[in-house]
Amino acid sequence: MPRLIRRVVRTAAIAGTATAVSGRVSRRQSGRWAQQDQQQNQQNQQNQQAQPQQAQAPSGADPAAAQAQGAVPPPMPPDDEMGRKIDRLKELGELKAQGLLTEQEFAAEKQKVLG
């Protein structure tokens, strides 16, 4: 009988230790994820604040001066049909790369664009 009690006590101690360790690991991982989310949110806010500042160009300034100050003029929209097709294919490629389109959906949309 003492052996049985000893085994039960040992099993309970091991299970208790495993539960405590598991809880600590879970709390530590949750803290790390929360910290990463907070850092990512701060970076997103900084990027959003920086974008309007970069987009504003002084009125009446010539494009060469704006480019010298770091403001990049927006790209010219493609006038020809081929340019629009290329832009659409790039969009589709990005959607596929992000996992928003399957291979079949990408192929079908590509066929629509190309003819």
Side-chain angles (χ1 to χ4, degrees), residues 51-64:
Q51 285 175 351
Q53 292 172 358
Q54 289 176 355
Q56 294 174 353
S59 60
D62 64 312

Side-chain angles (χ1 to χ4, degrees), residues 6 8 13 22-23 32 34 38 54 58 62-63 66 68 77-78 84-85 87-88 92 95 104-105 110:
R6 206 175 313 151
V8 169
S22 173
R32 286 182 183 167
Q38 184 180 14
Q54 289 176 355
D62 64 312
R84 286 190 294 272
K85 287 181 179 182
D87 287 344
R88 180 66 180 147
L92 292 172
L95 291 173
Q104 293 82 13
E105 292 170 332
K110 186 171 75 171

Side-chain angles (χ1 to χ4, degrees), residues 60-80:
D62 64 312
Q67 196 170 21
Q69 292 177 358
V72 178
M76 296 296 291
D79 291 334
D80 60 321

Side-chain angles (χ1 to χ4, degrees), residues 83-98:
R84 286 190 294 272
K85 287 181 179 182
I86 291 172
D87 287 344
R88 180 66 180 147
L89 289 173
K90 286 180 183 178
E91 283 180 30
L92 292 172
E94 289 173 6
L95 291 173
K96 181 182 168 208
Q98 293 172 1

Side-chain angles (χ1 to χ4, degrees), residues 7-74:
R7 285 185 181 168
V8 169
V9 169
R10 184 185 315 162
T11 302
I14 291 171
T17 302
T19 302
V21 169
S22 173
R24 267 188 268 140
V25 169
S26 178
R27 284 190 302 275
R28 185 182 313 143
Q29 192 65 32
S30 294
R32 286 182 183 167
W33 287 340
Q35 185 180 15
Q36 287 175 353
D37 287 343
Q38 184 180 14
Q39 288 174 351
Q40 188 175 17
N41 288 339
Q42 287 174 351
Q43 287 176 349
N44 288 343
Q45 288 175 353
Q46 289 172 351
N47 289 343
Q48 288 175 353
Q49 290 172 355
Q51 285 175 351
Q53 292 172 358
Q54 289 176 355
Q56 294 174 353
S59 60
D62 64 312
Q67 196 170 21
Q69 292 177 358
V72 178

